[in-house]
Amino acid sequence: MQVEPSIAKTLPTPQFYVPSVLLPREAAQSPTVHKIHILGEDERSKFIAHALSSVYDSVELLGWRDDCSLKYRNIQRLRPNSRRATSHVATNLAIPRTLARDDSSRIDQLVVTGHGHEAAEALKTVKHRIDENTTVCLMNDGLGVLEDVRKKIFDGIDASPSFLLGHMSHRLAFNRTYDAVTQLKQGQTKLTFGQEPRMRVKDMQKIKSRPNFVRTLKEAEDLHSSFTTYDQWLRFKLPSVIFDSVVEPVCVLLEMPYQGLLQNPPAQRMMQGLVSEMMLVLENMPELQGSTVIRDYVHSKGIRKFMHSRIMGKRSQPSKLTRRIEKGLPTDVEYLNGYFLRRGQRLGVDMRMNIMMRDMIKAKHSQAIERLNSFVPMEETSVPSHLAFRYRTSPPQQTVY
C-alpha cells in the first residue's frame, strides 16, 4: 500500500502588531529592522513620531541640541465639537532621546522638522550618518530650506541624499498641564519631490526606486498624507507662508495684536503691497510656468479670505513673531520675505515693500538682543543669621511688657 505524503499546513499570519516600544534595544538597532529617524524638537516632530510608530518597527525621535528637552511625552487629541479633552491623553509611542554624537550607524530615512533656520544646523549633527541611499524629508517652516541645506551641508558632495519636501496643516500646540502635544485641529500632510522641475534624473530614479518611504507615510492614518506635484504642494503651503510673511511683520512694525490690523487702513495697504509683490514673483517663477493651480490661486480672493479668517481666529493674541523677537530668538525672515526677495531679484521684480519688512525685522531683532545683553544678572541669596541686623533698613521693634 502506498502512503500518501502528508500535506504541510501553513499557519495563518498573526493579525496583531507589536509596537516599537516593546522591541528590545538590541533589536531596534539591528539593520534588518524597519527604522525611521525624526530629527526635531517641535510639536510636529513628536506628533509625526507617534503617528509613524503604528506602522514602523522602530522610530527614533532625536533632539539635536545639547540642551534638548525631553518634555511633552504625551499626545492629546481634542474631542470633535468639544472643548474638554482630558480623557484623550495617551503616552507618545516614540520616546524621545538625546542625539549620541558618537553614533555612526547609517540613517536610511529621515524626517526633519522645525523652523527653517534650524534645518541645516540639525542636519549637520547627523551628516556623517547620511549617504546617497538616504531619503531626507524636509518639513520645516518657510521656503528655500532645501537650497540652503544643499549649499551649507552637501555642496560639492557626490554622495548627497535624495530629498522630499513636506508640509502639514495640522494645528498642534504644547500643553504643559498634561505634558503633551495637543492636536487642536486635524489637517493633511502633502509630500513632493524636491523641486521636481529642476531635479536631476538620477535623483528622481533613486526616490522612485524606493517608494516605501512615501507609502508608509500614507499608512500612518493620523498624518493623512498624500503625494502631489510640486506646484500643488506649493499651493498647499503658500497660505501659511504668506501669513507669516505679511501679517506677522506688520504686527511687529505697528506693535499691535492681530485684530488691530483689520481696523487700520494703513496696515491693510502695507499687507496689500507685500502680497502683490509676492504674487508677481510666483507668476514669473520658471518652474511654475504653465501651472493652472498657481495661476488660479494668484488671481483668486482666497489669499485675503485666509488671512482674514486667521486673524479673526487669533484676535487679541500677541504676534508670534513679536514674542520671538522680544526673547531674542532667531527668526525665519530669510525663508519667508527673504525667499521672495532672492527670487524676485533674479526675475527683475521690484520688491521694495519686502525689502523694507526684512530690514525692519532684522533691526528689531538686533535691538532686542542688545537690550537683553544690557541686563545685569542678579542672584538672590539669603543673608546669614549673624549678619541679619547689619543689612536691616530699619531698627528692630522692641516689645514693651
Side-chain angles (χ1 to χ4, degrees):
M1 182 177 62
Q2 186 176 1
V3 180
E4 295 182 359
S6 60
I7 300 176
K9 296 182 179 181
T10 59
L11 297 177
T13 305
Q15 300 297 320
F16 58 86
Y17 173 76
V18 180
S20 61
V21 293
L22 298 182
L23 290 174
R25 184 175 181 83
E26 294 77 11
Q29 294 178 346
S30 174
T32 60
V33 173
H34 203 195
K35 181 185 293 188
I36 186 171
H37 293 78
I38 315 294
L39 188 62
E41 299 169 5
D42 61 340
E43 305 95 322
R44 279 170 295 180
S45 63
K46 299 177 185 294
F47 184 82
I48 293 173
H50 175 77
L52 292 178
S53 294
S54 62
V55 294
Y56 265 79
D57 294 329
S58 179
V59 177
E60 290 192 9
L61 176 57
L62 304 176
W64 54 274
R65 290 190 181 92
D66 293 332
D67 58 344
C68 72
S69 173
L70 299 181
K71 297 180 180 179
Y72 308 105
R73 294 174 176 265
N74 302 319
I75 297 293
Q76 181 189 25
R77 291 183 176 86
L78 293 181
R79 184 181 305 170
N81 302 323
S82 175
R83 296 183 180 180
R84 301 183 62 184
T86 56
S87 60
H88 289 264
V89 179
T91 304
N92 195 328
L93 294 178
I95 301 177
R97 69 181 184 87
T98 56
L99 181 65
R101 304 294 179 178
D102 56 347
D103 190 354
S104 59
S105 60
R106 193 180 73 84
I107 293 179
D108 182 48
Q109 297 168 348
L110 178 67
V111 177
V112 184
T113 67
H115 295 283
H117 68 271
E118 296 175 335
E121 188 177 355
L123 279 171
K124 187 177 181 180
T125 60
V126 295
K127 178 182 177 181
H128 61 288
R129 303 172 60 182
I130 297 175
D131 57 22
E132 67 276 7
N133 295 318
T134 302
T135 301
V136 178
C137 180
L138 298 175
M139 301 191 70
N140 303 87
D141 297 328
L143 296 173
V145 177
L146 176 57
E147 294 87 338
D148 188 56
V149 166
R150 281 177 171 163
K151 180 180 179 181
K152 294 181 178 179
I153 306 298
F154 301 104
D155 186 24
I157 299 178
D158 295 332
S160 61
S162 303
F163 287 98
L164 293 173
L165 297 176
H167 180 68
M168 294 177 61
S169 61
H170 299 65
R171 287 181 57 192
L172 306 170
F174 286 132
N175 190 327
R176 295 183 181 179
T177 304
Y178 300 104
D179 190 32
V181 173
T182 301
Q183 181 183 357
L184 302 175
K185 185 179 181 181
Q186 192 178 69
Q188 294 181 340
T189 302
K190 291 188 182 294
L191 307 170
T192 189
F193 291 125
Q195 292 196 357
E196 183 176 352
R198 295 185 294 174
M199 198 174 196
R200 293 178 296 179
V201 176
K202 67 177 184 178
D203 290 338
M204 292 275 289
Q205 293 175 347
K206 282 196 298 181
I207 294 181
K208 289 182 178 179
S209 64
R210 291 176 288 142
N212 58 317
F213 190 13
V214 176
R215 183 174 63 250
T216 308
L217 289 175
K218 290 183 179 180
E219 294 175 357
E221 297 181 357
D222 290 341
L223 297 181
H224 297 276
S225 64
S226 60
F227 194 83
T228 64
T229 58
Y230 177 74
D231 59 339
Q232 292 176 335
W233 173 86
L234 183 62
R235 164 63 181 86
F236 179 67
K237 186 170 184 176
L238 273 175
S240 61
V241 171
I242 293 177
F243 185 89
D244 291 340
S245 304
V246 175
V247 177
E248 294 288 352
V250 174
C251 285
V252 173
L253 177 63
L254 301 180
E255 298 180 352
M256 63 171 55
Y258 294 103
Q259 67 179 8
L261 303 178
L262 301 179
Q263 290 82 33
N264 193 310
Q268 297 177 21
R269 288 194 294 270
M270 294 174 63
M271 292 190 293
Q272 179 62 34
L274 291 169
V275 171
S276 299
E277 292 180 357
M278 294 176 184
M279 295 302 102
L280 194 57
V281 172
L282 292 173
E283 284 186 297
N284 290 277
M285 288 172 62
E287 61 267 35
L288 299 179
Q289 295 300 311
S291 172
T292 58
V293 176
I294 298 298
R295 183 193 62 195
D296 294 343
Y297 179 69
V298 167
H299 296 284
S300 69
K301 297 181 180 179
I303 304 173
R304 294 165 184 82
K305 289 182 179 180
F306 176 82
M307 290 194 298
H308 184 272
S309 62
R310 180 68 69 87
I311 290 173
M312 292 300 295
K314 293 179 178 294
R315 293 185 181 273
S316 60
Q317 297 180 19
S319 165
K320 178 180 65 175
L321 181 58
T322 300
R323 294 197 301 267
R324 291 193 63 84
I325 291 178
E326 289 177 348
K327 296 178 181 179
L329 299 175
T331 67
D332 273 349
V333 63
E334 289 297 338
Y335 304 93
L336 297 168
N337 304 82
Y339 171 81
F340 290 100
L341 275 176
R342 291 188 295 273
R343 300 306 303 268
Q345 290 173 352
R346 298 174 195 168
L347 299 170
V349 179
D350 185 3
M351 304 290 291
R352 64 184 67 185
M353 290 292 295
N354 280 273
I355 291 176
M356 184 268 292
M357 281 297 172
R358 182 198 60 180
D359 294 343
M360 180 274 301
I361 293 174
K362 289 187 175 183
K364 289 272 189 178
H365 184 251
S366 177
Q367 186 180 22
I369 292 178
E370 291 180 2
R371 183 178 65 256
L372 292 172
N373 291 337
S374 65
F375 293 155
V376 178
M378 304 291 291
E379 181 180 359
E380 182 179 356
T381 59
S382 59
V383 178
S385 57
H386 66 282
L387 297 177
F389 291 103
R390 178 183 299 180
Y391 294 100
R392 283 190 174 180
T393 58
S394 59
Q397 297 180 354
Q398 296 182 357
T399 304
V400 179
Y401 296 97

